[in-house]
Amino acid sequence: MPAQPRTIAVLGGTGAEGGGLALRWARAGHRVILGSRNPEKAAKVCADLNAAAGVDSIRFLDNRAAAAAAEVVVLTVPHAAQRATVEEVRDALAGKVLIDATVPLVPPKVSRVQLPAGGSAVAAIQALLGEPVRVVSAFQNVSAHALRDPAHDVDCDVLVCGDDPAAREIVIGLAHDVGLRAFHAGPIANSAAAEALTSILIAINIRYKVPGAGIRITGVPAAPA
Ligand SMILES: NC(=O)c1ccc[n+]([C@@H]2O[C@H](COP(=O)([O-])OP(=O)(O)OC[C@H]3O[C@@H](n4cnc5c(N)ncnc54)[C@H](OP(=O)(O)O)[C@@H]3O)[C@@H](O)[C@H]2O)c1
């Protein structure tokens, strides 16, 4: 069991990245709720993730109800749906930590850095929500492919950006719970760098024909795994 079991809503948890995080957190002993627009799809994904994680604790609700039921909310929807999804659940986010894993990819050139005006997709959400919600940027550089294979550890580190150090600490703890080293990486504005890095990792995946290149931070031996 994790040091502090939490109820975590993963909005878009039926997808690749959110499903991988949900699986790993459920396996670690957290209570996970998938948020979805589609109950039939969510029921099937929920059953698959419970089976893969070897648990029966993962549940699903619509995005709004999932966000309301959780103490920590995770956003894993495509960039095009990021703002609308946040607007839909906004009332349920006050006082909570919102972990946003959004990468502002612009298909079809997803291996090219194309950040939105203002620099960071996640910082824009913190600006939208204001002080009542502590937005933390994390997991942009963790490949869904690696997360979805519970037989193997995920071979990369996590950059955690946010304006509230205590909220970053919560997210670092959640990363540690699934065996990932995670680092305080500065304020929410720094999320731009993590978001941009993902296109570089995609370019590396394509060039070297691998499914999930990742990053490692060196020179910080004390950071726990
Ligand atoms: N894939 C990766 O390796 C990876 C790695 C790091 C970060 N990320 C980031 O994580 C986020 C999710 O990536 P993903 O690959 O998991 O995406 P995905 O599988 O394409 O989509 C995730 C979920 O988002 C919901 N969704 C899709 N379109 C939507 C819309 N128009 N409005 C509301 N919800 C919608 C769907 O859930 P329902 O149909 O159930 O509602 C879907 O299952 C993205 O921002 C991505 O950049 C991905």
Side-chain angles (χ1 to χ4, degrees):
M1 287 294 278
Q4 187 164 357
R6 296 185 187 275
T7 301
I8 305 170
V10 185
L11 313 185
T14 55
E17 184 76 1
L21 289 168
L23 184 164
R24 299 258 173 187
W25 278 322
R27 228 170 50 127
H30 291 289
R31 299 173 292 272
V32 176
I33 308 169
L34 307 181
S36 173
R37 298 163 302 166
N38 180 333
E40 289 80 24
K41 172 183 173 183
K44 181 176 182 327
V45 172
C46 202
D48 291 347
L49 291 176
N50 273 321
V55 302
D56 60 5
S57 60
I58 304 175
R59 301 184 288 134
F60 67 91
L61 291 167
D62 63 69
N63 283 324
R64 217 180 134 70
E71 50 189 308
V72 174
V73 181
V74 185
L75 187 63
T76 56
V77 299
H79 178 230
Q82 179 204 29
R83 180 171 283 254
T85 305
V86 168
E87 297 273 23
E88 184 193 344
V89 305
R90 184 175 190 155
D91 293 351
L93 296 177
K96 297 181 182 175
V97 172
L98 173 67
I99 305 174
D100 190 346
T102 301
V103 180
L105 299 177
V106 183
K109 295 196 171 172
V110 294
S111 62
R112 179 174 174 168
V113 177
Q114 300 178 80
L115 297 181
S120 159
V122 179
I125 293 302
Q126 178 66 86
L128 171 74
L129 294 171
E131 279 189 15
V133 186
R134 294 178 292 164
V135 179
V136 178
S137 169
F139 304 113
Q140 280 83 4
N141 310 131
V142 182
S143 113
H145 181 270
L147 286 169
R148 296 298 284 251
D149 176 5
H152 294 97
D153 291 340
V154 181
D155 184 19
C156 69
D157 292 337
V158 180
L159 302 177
V160 179
C161 304
D163 291 341
D164 184 290
R168 292 199 306 259
E169 195 64 34
I170 289 170
V171 180
I172 286 171
L174 289 173
H176 290 169
D177 289 342
V178 297
L180 288 162
R181 284 200 325 164
F183 294 84
H184 288 273
I188 199 74
N190 287 2
S191 178
E195 294 167 32
L197 257 179
T198 302
S199 286
I200 291 172
L201 294 172
I202 292 170
I204 291 170
N205 288 344
I206 294 168
R207 178 64 179 82
Y208 295 94
K209 297 182 173 48
V210 295
I215 60 155
R216 283 284 187 212
I217 301 300
T218 62
V220 193

